[in-house]
C-alpha cells in the first residue's frame, strides 16, 4: 500500500511512514500556465525579495517543513561562489574544430532569488 507521500510522487527513505524524515526528496515547480489571474497578480507584487523579506514556505500535511529565505545571505553567498566558479571554469574552456568545449570543473549553485525574479519578469511580459 502506498504512503501519502508516495501517492504524491515523493520518495521516502527509511521507515514506511516517516514523512518528515531527513533526506526527504520533493519536487516543487511554478508553472505559469497552471496559474489563474489572482495567482499571477500575487506573484507580481514581489518586486524585491530581499527588501520585502520574502520566504518560500514548504508545508507537508499541514505542518511547516521548511522555510527558505529568498534573497538572504545564502543567495548572496551562492552568487559570489558562482562568480568564482565561472572564472575557474573559463580557464579550462577549449575550442576544437570550431566547437567550444566547456567542462564544469567547479559546480555552480542554483540561486533562488535570480530564478524567481526571471520567472516574475516572464509573467509580467506575458500578462497584458
Amino acid at each position: 500500500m502506498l504512503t501519502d507521500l508516495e501517492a504524491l510522487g515523493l520518495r521516502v527513505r527509511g521507515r514506511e511512514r516517516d514523512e518528515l524524515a531527513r533526506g526527504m526528496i520533493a519536487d516543487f515547480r511554478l508553472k505559469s500556465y497552471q496559474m489563474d489571474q489572482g495567482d499571477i497578480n500575487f506573484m507580481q507584487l514581489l518586486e524585491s525579495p530581499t527588501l520585502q523579506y520574502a520566504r518560500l514556505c514548504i508545508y507537508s500535511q499541514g505542518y511547516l517543513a521548511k522555510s527558505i529565505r529568498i534573497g538572504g545571505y545564502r543567495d548572496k553567498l551562492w552568487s559570489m561562489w558562482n562568480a568564482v566558479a565561472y572564472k575557474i571554469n573559463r580557464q579550462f574552456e577549449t575550442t576544437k574544430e570550431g566547437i567550444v568545449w566547456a567542462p564544469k570543473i567547479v559546480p555552480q549553485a542554483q540561486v533562488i532569488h535570480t530564478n524567481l525574479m526571471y520567472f516574475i519578469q516572464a509573467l509580467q511580459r506575458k500578462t497584458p
Side-chain angles (χ1 to χ4, degrees):
M1 185 166 153
L2 293 176
T3 63
D4 298 331
L5 291 175
E6 290 172 332
L8 294 173
L10 301 176
R11 295 180 348 161
V12 180
R13 295 183 183 183
R15 297 187 311 253
E16 183 179 329
R17 306 270 318 164
D18 202 9
E19 284 88 358
L20 296 174
R22 280 191 175 270
M24 182 174 74
I25 301 170
D27 187 28
F28 176 79
R29 298 173 189 211
L30 288 174
K31 298 180 180 178
S32 61
Y33 60 86
Q34 291 180 340
M35 299 173 88
D36 62 11
Q37 192 59 43
D39 294 336
I40 292 172
N41 291 341
F42 179 74
M43 291 295 293
Q44 289 176 345
L45 291 175
L46 188 62
E47 295 173 357
S48 175
T50 306
L51 296 176
Q52 292 174 303
Y53 295 99
R55 292 189 165 282
L56 174 63
C57 297
I58 301 170
Y59 288 85
S60 175
Q61 298 177 347
Y63 296 98
L64 178 64
K66 184 74 174 176
S67 178
I68 302 168
R69 172 94 160 85
I70 299 172
Y73 292 113
R74 181 193 169 280
D75 281 349
K76 291 176 187 175
L77 179 66
W78 283 122
S79 293
M80 290 187 289
W81 170 263
N82 285 345
V84 171
Y86 175 77
K87 289 179 183 177
I88 293 171
N89 288 336
R90 287 289 304 229
Q91 300 292 323
F92 294 96
E93 279 187 8
T94 58
T95 304
K96 294 181 182 177
E97 300 174 6
I99 299 172
V100 177
W101 184 66
K104 298 288 183 189
I105 305 298
V106 180
Q108 291 184 319
Q110 292 292 325
V111 180
I112 297 172
H113 176 271
T114 307
N115 293 336
L116 181 64
M117 291 313 295
Y118 286 150
F119 179 75
I120 291 172
Q121 289 170 2
L123 284 177
Q124 290 171 346
R125 285 191 302 268
K126 179 182 172 184
T127 307

